[in-house]
Amino acid sequence: MKDAEYHNPGLSVGWIYQRCKEELITIAREFGLDGEGRVEDLRKRLSTFIQSNNYSAEAKARLAEIEKRF
């Protein structure tokens, strides 16, 4: 996890593992990610996306907002 914190300070992925499948689908689609697959697939896809830090400042702000809500 330290590596993810280094690349992307301020955003974590722990909240993803406490969300149900329907929430994960909605969040994935909001960021243009595939919403198909098993819960484990969705969690991995979202975690990889967040840790990649390959998104706009607006997307980062939205992710921070979602994280704070959960």
Side-chain angles (χ1 to χ4, degrees), residues 9-33:
L11 291 178
S12 70
V13 296
W15 60 271
I16 292 170
Y17 295 90
Q18 298 174 12
R19 308 289 24 110
C20 69
K21 184 173 183 175
E22 291 77 21
E23 291 172 316
L24 294 169
I25 291 169
T26 299
I27 294 165
R29 288 181 177 162
E30 179 177 347
F31 293 98
L33 302 173

Side-chain angles (χ1 to χ4, degrees), residues 4 6-9 11 47-57 60 63:
Y6 172 78
H7 292 297
N8 201 354
L11 291 178
S47 294
T48 300
F49 175 71
I50 291 170
Q51 292 172 349
S52 76
N53 202 19
N54 188 22
Y55 40 80
S56 68
K60 184 174 183 174
L63 285 166

Side-chain angles (χ1 to χ4, degrees), residues 21 25 34-42 45:
K21 184 173 183 175
I25 291 169
D34 183 7
E36 299 297 317
R38 300 174 304 152
V39 171
E40 295 82 13
D41 300 328
L42 292 162
R45 193 172 300 131

